[in-house]
């Protein structure tokens, strides 16, 4: 029964990611937290397990997205390369930071972040292009911050990378494509770090690989890659403004439930 839930979650996360251009982690983490709570997982590890599993699932969805963006020639690979240097550092430290925070406190931090993203979507806030692309040091520092935050929240970093690149005068299509490419090293390093950090934790349930719950990962991976295409097609048929507001309301509700 739980595996069917994970298949459904992967389908929903894929559709929502395709519809709104926001990584499925914003949906996967909260739903996994609720699911793991109902399954009776220990409160001290279930949030870390949800974050680690979300990051591992992003590996599978990122591969297809990167291939498609590269085929269209939209990825700025030089920006990606230098941001990845920082991501490799930041993602590892982000996992260490998350591991040091208790499960209940980590839920509250994720709740605040979900509400901030909801506000950004509802208000349609987009930074104006006012500066040029920074040099190697600037891109590395930006990648470090994005990698650190993404590992804590269990996301691919799109809600952080896209606004940064847009602010730095990168055209939106290229910003989204480059951000999508950056999501792959974020997910790889963060998921590996969560696996290592949780390897010997006695509170973890069976079928866990560190802070990655394998049944959930398998179910999400099987359906999210397919249904992301469905979401992308729906996005061209429905009102983008209405969709963003609906998703913002969903995220606000999730964030609020984590804080109460």
């Amino acid at each position: 029964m739980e595996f069917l839930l994970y298949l459904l979650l992967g389908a929903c996360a894929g559709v929502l990611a395709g519809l709104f251009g926001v990584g499925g982690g914003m949906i996967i983490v909260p739903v996994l937290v609720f699911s793991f709570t109902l399954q009776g997982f220990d409160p001290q590890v279930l949030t870390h397990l949800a974050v680690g599993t979300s990051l591992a699932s992003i590996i599978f969805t990122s591969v297809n997205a990167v291939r498609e963006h590269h085929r269209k020639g939209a990825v700025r690979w030089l920006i990606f390369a230098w941001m990845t240097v920082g991501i490799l550092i930041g993602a590892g430290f982000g996992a260490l930071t998350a591991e040091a925070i208790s499960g209940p406190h980590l839920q509250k931090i994720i709740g605040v972040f979900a509400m901030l993203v909801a506000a950004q979507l509802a208000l349609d806030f987009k930074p104006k292009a006012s500066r040029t692309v920074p040099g190697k040091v600037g891109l590395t520092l930006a990648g470090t911050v994005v990698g650190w935050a993404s590992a804590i929240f269990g996301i691919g970093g799109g809600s952080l990378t896209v606004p940064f690149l847009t602010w730095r005068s990168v055209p939106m299509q290229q910003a989204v494509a480059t951000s999508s490419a950056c999501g792959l090293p974020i997910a790889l390093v963060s998921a590996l770090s969560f696996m290592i950090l949780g390897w010997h934790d006695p509170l973890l349930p069976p079928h866990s690989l560190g802070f990655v719950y394998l049944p959930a990962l398998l179910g999400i991976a099987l359906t999210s890659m397919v249904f992301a295409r469905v979401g992308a097609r729906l996005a061209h048929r429905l009102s983008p403004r209405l969709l963003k507001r609906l998703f913002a309301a969903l995220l606000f509700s999730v964030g609020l439930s984590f804080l109460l």
Side-chain angles (χ1 to χ4, degrees):
M1 182 60 71
E2 288 83 6
F3 188 70
L4 291 176
L5 171 64
Y6 301 138
L7 289 171
L8 179 61
L9 172 57
C12 292
V15 170
L16 290 170
L19 275 173
F20 305 111
V22 176
M26 292 301 301
I27 295 300
I28 293 171
V29 172
V31 175
L32 285 181
V33 167
F34 294 139
S35 172
F36 293 165
T37 300
L38 292 175
Q39 288 175 251
F41 292 179
D42 193 286
Q44 289 302 315
V45 298
L46 69 84
T47 306
H48 298 83
L49 200 61
V51 172
T53 304
S54 171
L55 288 162
S57 71
I58 291 171
I59 295 172
F60 297 93
T61 54
S62 292
V63 171
N64 277 353
V66 173
R67 288 177 60 187
E68 184 65 18
H69 286 305
H70 175 66
R71 189 179 66 81
K72 295 181 178 179
V75 180
R76 297 278 291 270
W77 289 110
L78 188 60
I79 293 176
F80 163 81
W82 285 106
M83 286 194 72
T84 297
V85 173
I87 285 168
L88 296 177
I89 300 169
F93 278 110
L96 285 169
T97 303
E99 198 267 341
I101 302 171
S102 70
H105 285 131
L106 185 58
Q107 281 191 34
K108 293 186 184 301
I109 292 171
I110 294 172
V112 170
F113 181 72
M115 294 179 75
L116 289 174
V117 174
Q120 186 270 331
L121 286 169
L123 299 174
D124 199 23
F125 173 74
K126 296 176 183 177
K128 295 181 180 179
S130 57
R131 299 193 180 187
T132 57
V133 176
K136 299 174 182 177
V137 175
L139 288 173
T140 300
L141 289 174
T144 302
V145 173
V146 170
W148 176 78
S150 299
I152 294 174
F153 303 129
I155 60 174
S159 55
L160 302 171
T161 308
V162 172
F164 168 73
L165 293 178
T166 303
W167 174 52
R168 289 296 188 161
S169 302
V170 176
M172 178 57 73
Q173 185 181 27
Q174 294 180 8
V176 171
T178 306
S179 171
S180 180
C182 288
L184 185 56
I186 287 173
L188 281 169
V189 177
S190 301
L192 181 60
S193 298
F194 271 89
M195 288 180 188
I196 294 171
L197 290 170
W199 196 265
H200 295 296
D201 197 312
L203 300 176
L204 288 171
H207 312 301
S208 297
L209 193 61
F211 288 128
V212 174
Y213 189 55
L214 295 179
L217 173 62
L218 177 61
I220 293 168
L222 284 174
T223 53
S224 61
M225 290 186 290
V226 176
F227 280 86
R229 298 172 186 173
V230 176
R233 294 188 189 119
L234 286 174
H236 294 286
R237 301 178 183 177
L238 303 175
S239 166
R241 179 176 296 181
L242 175 62
L243 290 171
K244 281 186 176 182
R245 288 178 177 173
L246 290 173
F247 190 44
L250 174 62
L251 282 181
F252 186 85
S253 300
V254 168
L256 189 61
S257 69
F258 273 21
L259 293 174
L260 295 178

